[in-house]
Structures are given as structure tokens and as C-alpha cells.
Amino acid sequence: MAHFIDGPNYEFAMRLIELRREKKCTQEELAKAIGVDKRSISMYENGHTFPREDTIKRLALELNTEPDWLANGETEESRNFQAQLNEKNNSDTSMFVKRIELLYIESWDHIGQEKTITYSASPKYESQCSDLDKFVSISTSPVEQFKAVEYPGALPFNVSYPPGAIIIFDSKKWGIKEIPSGSDVIYKLKAGENTPGLRKLLKEPGGEPILIPADSLHPVTPIKANHLNIEILGVVKTVVIHK
């Protein structure tokens, strides 16, 4: 029977449906086995909601798979391969001559979702724009994956980033292990609103990585930083206060 997926968590929903069918169990049976109601399983499978970390682990255990694979379609092996690739690209950066590039300034709510826009004095296609106010210039190399986004002043606890500041961030696929402690990161909560957030990644010896406010003046509850809980959209490289 065809399954209609119309929510934002399409890939996760597909993996969950496939694993449940392999186990030959109904939504109701799976819900009972992990201690949730049938409606929750239905919402997961149509892509409308994403389970919290503890529910992901119970689902993975019941469906005989790894939590990371169920949540992200990735394994420790694939993450290590990506880390090695990132390290190689970082070392290759020095081999290229830096060039000035115009980055299109994305909107905060649609980071990574907008199609690539390039500058053209005489636009011919929808992917081109002639308005220089919508771009910021940076020095970069061909292997770097920088993007730009305007920071909304409505977000709290980040006075280091004034309203309208342009954040330049590295958008390559990051593993949390790769990101240096103290880095400011743009992230999304998997089991929450799809609005991006901005926090500082903190790693302390013997402890689990956490996200804390980028501005420490206002204490709030830390967020556990793992791939079952958050999606890293990018690591902040610099902030342009005035374009």
C-alpha cells in the first residue's frame, strides 16, 4: 500500500516505514511496543513530526537497527569517512588561490532550503540576481562551502550578533566530533520547531557535548549536542556588521 509523506522529515519517514514493514508489524503494534500511541507513529511516518532522542532509541531497538541510521541515514563509518574528506579539503584549501566571491544572503528561516542564487548584472534566469544589497563579498577558495545569512534580531540571548548582522558560515556536512569546542554553530532541533537557532558548542572532558547560548549573559537550559537531537547547519566563521 502506498504511503503518503507530506511533512519535512521525508527521509526519516521512509526509513521508519521500510523498517517497520521488514519487521511485518502494524503501526499499532509498533506503537504499543515502544510505549506511544498509534497517532504518534502515523505522524512520524507522514513526516510531520520527528521523535525525541529517547523515542528514537526505543524505535531503533524494536526495529533492530542503529539509532543514528534510523535518525539520519548514517553510520559511524560514514561519519568517519566524511570527517576524513573534510580534513582533506581543509588541507587542500592552501593549494588554491583565494578569490573574491559574492554570497547571496539567505533568510534565517530558510537556511539551506533556498536555491543557489548568483550575481549577474543582467539576470536571465530565476537563479540570478542583480541587486548587490542581497549579496556580501568574501575571500574564499573553490573547496570551501561558505554561505551567508542575515541574523534576525528577534532571537534572544545573542547580543554579540546585532539585528541585521550578516553571518558567514561553513555549510559543509559537519560531524559534532569535528567541530572545535567554543565554536558558534547554526543548528536545528530535530524534534522541535524547524526554525534554526544559534548557540555555542561546548565540549568538556568526560562530558557530553552541549549547546549553550552564544552570549553567556543570559543562562538558559543547555541542549544536548548529538546527531539524534540536533542537525548542524553550519559553523560560524565571521560576522559582518555592516555590508
Side-chain angles (χ1 to χ4, degrees):
M1 182 179 68
H3 202 103
F4 185 63
I5 303 173
D6 60 347
N9 303 302
Y10 179 87
E11 293 181 355
F12 163 74
M14 286 295 296
R15 288 190 294 274
L16 178 58
I17 292 167
E18 182 178 353
L19 288 166
R20 179 176 61 78
R21 288 175 175 172
E22 286 179 1
K23 191 175 175 66
K24 295 182 171 57
C25 68
T26 64
Q27 288 184 345
E28 188 172 0
E29 289 169 337
L30 180 58
K32 184 176 181 180
I34 68 165
V36 300
D37 57 40
K38 177 180 178 294
R39 184 175 181 277
S40 294
I41 301 297
S42 177
M43 293 290 283
Y44 300 155
E45 292 192 357
N46 64 27
H48 279 245
T49 59
F50 193 95
R52 297 189 181 278
E53 181 182 351
D54 59 339
T55 306
I56 280 284
K57 291 178 178 178
R58 295 201 303 272
L59 280 167
L61 182 63
E62 183 64 24
L63 297 172
N64 302 313
T65 192
E66 292 296 322
D68 205 8
W69 171 255
L70 177 58
N72 305 296
E74 295 178 328
T75 62
E76 189 67 24
E77 182 179 343
S78 66
R79 288 197 190 283
N80 290 338
F81 175 79
Q82 183 64 49
Q84 293 170 6
L85 185 61
N86 289 344
E87 184 176 355
K88 180 179 184 302
N89 285 341
N90 288 338
S91 63
D92 288 346
T93 299
S94 61
M95 300 171 58
F96 292 94
V97 176
K98 292 283 187 176
R99 63 186 183 185
I100 299 300
E101 182 177 348
L102 290 174
L103 295 181
Y104 181 75
I105 302 170
E106 300 182 18
S107 64
W108 186 261
D109 288 342
H110 298 93
I111 295 176
Q113 301 176 25
E114 298 179 348
K115 59 187 176 183
T116 301
I117 305 292
T118 58
Y119 175 78
S120 173
S122 303
K124 296 181 180 178
Y125 308 101
E126 290 185 1
S127 60
Q128 297 176 329
C129 176
S130 61
D131 186 354
L132 280 172
D133 287 339
K134 294 183 178 180
F135 293 84
V136 62
S137 62
I138 66 163
S139 175
T140 183
S141 72
V143 296
E144 292 174 315
Q145 300 176 36
F146 290 157
K147 290 188 176 183
V149 64
E150 183 172 355
Y151 186 75
L155 289 180
F157 311 141
N158 289 308
V159 296
S160 300
Y161 296 86
I166 307 303
I167 299 175
I168 310 298
F169 65 98
D170 189 338
S171 67
K172 69 171 173 276
K173 193 173 185 63
W174 286 94
I176 292 173
K177 291 180 180 179
E178 297 174 71
I179 304 173
S181 182
S183 299
D184 287 353
V185 300
I186 301 173
Y187 70 97
K188 281 184 179 180
L189 287 174
K190 285 182 170 291
E193 297 181 2
N194 283 323
T195 302
L198 174 64
R199 288 198 174 200
K200 190 179 297 293
L201 178 66
L202 183 63
K203 300 177 180 178
E204 295 185 342
E208 184 177 15
I210 58 174
L211 295 179
I212 62 174
D215 186 330
S216 60
L217 295 177
H218 300 82
V220 296
T221 303
I223 297 172
K224 289 198 295 183
N226 62 58
H227 291 290
L228 303 183
N229 194 39
I230 64 169
E231 176 187 359
I232 298 293
L233 301 178
V235 176
V236 175
K237 292 302 178 182
T238 189
V239 180
V240 180
I241 305 301
H242 299 291
K243 290 192 295 174

